[in-house]
Amino acid sequence: MGHNPANVSKILQFHWNLSIFAILLYISTHLILYSAKISATPTIKPYPKFNAEKDIETIHFVVHKEAGQKVCNDTDKMVRMICHRCRKQRQEMQKLFQEKYKEDIISYCEAATDAEFSFNELLEECFKQPMDIYKDHLHREISKGCFNPISADKLTIVEILLTIPPEKKEEFFSSYNETYKATIQKHVEDNLQGDLQNVIKEMVNRNRLPDIPPDKINWDWAKQEAQKLFDERKKWKNHRCELDRILMETPIQQLNATLVEFKKIDGKELDEMIQKKMEKDKRDCYKDMVFFAKNKHDYYARRIHHAMKGLGTQDSVLNRIIGIHSEEDLKEIATAYQLNTGDSLIHGIKGDTTLHHEMLLRCLSGEHMEAEKF
């Protein structure tokens, strides 16, 4: 019995379309996974013509000149000059300035500006190591809960704990303990309450495995973990559920694969289900963990946008993310910011901050990169 040519053609066309769909699904899935591994491009790099001796003499000249008078017209240039040296070069300037003039370079520079608190904080952090900045911000936000649990910025606490690389976590905690004479665990127990305390304690106590390259992802494991998340949705309100282990211990690339598999099972993104199943304090924290796993650059762009929208600006969030990531991956974060908001990061900063603080943030974001003329 012969086959109808028209039916054979339809069958072949169906299989062809199915193959194309499978290929597109494969490509889109891997694009999602590689999006979390975007190359890192800093906006601030080591200044190629760096001369620490010349730089500190310029700062000394601008602030006091020979007769002890401020040269206010050069203050903006001085701020840009400091900004466009990398952190290591700034620290070299700081050490040399102390040796030569017996004064702190940061206090000297602050004397030439408008004494804005946010600018002073960012200027000081330009000379600090990132881990010390994270330590200070984490301690400050947890401590706020002692006076008013609502005032603690839970998303800043989550952001910092997510950002510390797994391989540096022990060193970071030891440094915190040494500086503040108490463990982070004890500090959390003494200052935070309720669901927020439970979530942060879990993040502190659990250890995420180091990240893996996308080609080492275990897809069978990802499917199993996604199924566990789907099966335990009703238990997400409980303390120490599978959701905690998976979100807080899985390598980021592997976790990203689990999120892809979860959507295949449930039809919705994990953050959508968290929004539906959890109450506020836990919900916001867990959603941020998911956003970080999906694409960390997009996550930081969201944090910056959230810090600038509304009536008040969260200057410490801008200082921390823009200041630290300017030497890591701020270009990718700025690209994500523009995709999310339709506006450039530099333009977003303009008008949302004040005077020299705005200038320093915009410089760190890549503005005024022409050669300095001193």
Side-chain angles (χ1 to χ4, degrees):
M1 185 175 177
H3 294 288
N4 187 325
N7 289 338
V8 172
S9 177
K10 288 181 180 178
I11 292 170
L12 289 174
Q13 184 65 41
F14 172 77
H15 283 288
W16 171 256
N17 291 339
L18 190 63
S19 298
I20 293 296
F21 175 77
I23 292 170
L24 290 175
L25 180 62
Y26 175 85
I27 293 172
S28 63
T29 297
H30 281 75
L31 283 175
I32 291 170
L33 291 171
Y34 276 92
S35 71
K37 202 75 174 179
I38 305 172
S39 60
T41 312
T43 52
I44 301 298
K45 300 177 182 178
Y47 188 61
K49 298 179 180 179
F50 176 63
N51 183 320
E53 183 74 32
K54 181 181 176 182
D55 283 351
I56 66 167
E57 287 176 357
T58 297
I59 292 172
H60 190 264
F61 174 82
V62 168
V63 178
H64 282 293
K65 210 180 176 183
E66 294 177 6
Q69 297 179 349
K70 295 182 182 179
V71 187
C72 297
N73 293 336
D74 285 340
T75 301
D76 292 358
K77 288 184 179 180
M78 179 188 73
V79 171
R80 292 202 301 272
M81 181 193 75
I82 293 171
C83 171
H84 291 137
R85 276 52 173 169
C86 70
R87 197 174 303 275
K88 185 177 180 181
Q89 290 172 337
R90 296 183 204 121
Q91 289 173 340
E92 187 177 336
M93 291 162 58
Q94 185 178 29
K95 181 180 179 182
L96 189 60
F97 195 93
Q98 180 70 42
E99 291 173 355
K100 185 168 183 176
Y101 298 111
K102 311 302 180 186
E103 293 195 54
D104 177 48
I105 193 172
I106 298 170
S107 301
Y108 227 68
C109 295
E110 290 173 351
T113 63
D114 300 296
E116 308 161 51
F117 174 79
S118 297
F119 168 80
N120 291 349
E121 179 183 71
L122 180 54
L123 182 67
E124 290 176 17
E125 290 176 358
C126 282
F127 289 85
K128 287 184 177 180
Q129 291 294 344
M131 287 299 162
D132 290 330
I133 299 171
Y134 288 132
K135 183 173 61 177
D136 294 343
H137 283 231
L138 182 62
H139 181 266
R140 181 170 62 197
E141 293 306 328
I142 294 175
S143 297
K144 288 179 182 177
C146 179
F147 305 100
N148 180 0
I150 299 175
S151 66
D153 185 351
K154 61 190 174 188
L155 296 186
T156 285
I157 299 172
V158 170
E159 174 210 315
I160 293 171
L161 292 176
L162 284 172
T163 301
I164 304 301
E167 61 273 15
K168 293 187 178 180
K169 186 175 179 181
E170 186 177 348
E171 178 187 345
F172 176 77
F173 283 9
S174 295
S175 178
Y176 187 100
N177 187 10
E178 184 178 342
T179 300
Y180 299 110
K181 310 306 178 187
T183 64
I184 293 180
Q185 291 90 332
K186 182 70 165 62
H187 200 197
V188 169
E189 289 174 359
D190 290 345
N191 293 278
L192 303 180
Q193 299 177 10
D195 281 342
L196 179 58
Q197 184 194 84
N198 290 333
V199 172
I200 301 305
K201 280 173 67 176
E202 286 296 304
M203 292 187 73
V204 169
N205 291 329
R206 290 182 182 271
N207 295 311
R208 188 184 302 280
L209 294 172
D211 208 3
I212 57 174
D215 60 349
K216 298 296 183 183
I217 289 171
N218 185 328
W219 283 97
D220 289 334
W221 182 24
K223 291 174 184 177
Q224 293 169 14
E225 297 285 71
Q227 190 64 52
K228 288 178 183 177
L229 288 175
F230 180 80
D231 293 340
E232 290 203 350
R233 288 168 298 165
K234 293 182 180 179
K235 298 180 181 179
W236 285 357
K237 292 183 179 180
N238 298 338
H239 185 43
R240 291 182 176 274
C241 62
E242 283 289 279
L243 182 67
D244 286 347
R245 179 187 62 77
I246 293 171
L247 286 184
M248 299 178 193
E249 296 183 6
T250 310
I252 291 297
Q253 285 291 331
Q254 182 68 39
L255 176 55
N256 205 354
T258 299
L259 299 178
V260 171
E261 293 298 330
F262 181 87
K263 186 176 182 181
K264 290 180 184 178
I265 297 170
D266 189 79
K268 293 183 179 179
E269 301 282 359
L270 182 60
D271 50 280
E272 294 180 71
M273 293 306 301
I274 289 172
Q275 175 72 23
K276 183 179 178 180
K277 296 285 184 181
M278 286 189 179
E279 296 178 357
K280 189 174 181 182
D281 271 344
K282 289 187 73 173
R283 180 185 68 212
D284 294 342
C285 294
Y286 282 100
K287 282 176 65 178
D288 268 27
M289 294 180 211
V290 172
F291 294 147
F292 184 85
K294 284 182 178 179
N295 186 321
K296 65 177 183 178
H297 299 137
D298 184 68
Y299 166 74
Y300 290 122
R302 287 171 184 259
R303 292 283 294 140
I304 291 172
H305 179 57
H306 183 268
M308 290 193 290
K309 74 177 184 179
L311 294 177
T313 301
Q314 293 177 286
D315 290 329
S316 62
V317 175
L318 300 184
N319 289 351
R320 180 177 62 255
I321 296 177
I322 293 176
I324 291 175
H325 289 270
S326 64
E327 294 188 42
E328 296 176 5
D329 54 1
L330 191 56
K331 234 172 189 177
E332 283 77 20
I333 294 171
T335 299
Y337 180 91
Q338 186 150 10
L339 288 172
N340 289 340
T341 65
D343 197 7
S344 71
L345 175 58
I346 289 174
H347 187 266
I349 293 167
K350 187 177 181 181
D352 208 77
T353 49
T354 55
L355 301 173
H356 288 106
H357 184 223
E358 177 187 308
M359 177 188 294
L360 189 47
L361 285 171
R362 291 171 67 181
C363 287
L364 289 169
S365 299
E367 194 173 64
H368 303 306
M369 289 306 293
E370 70 276 3
E372 304 296 342
K373 298 176 181 178
F374 286 106

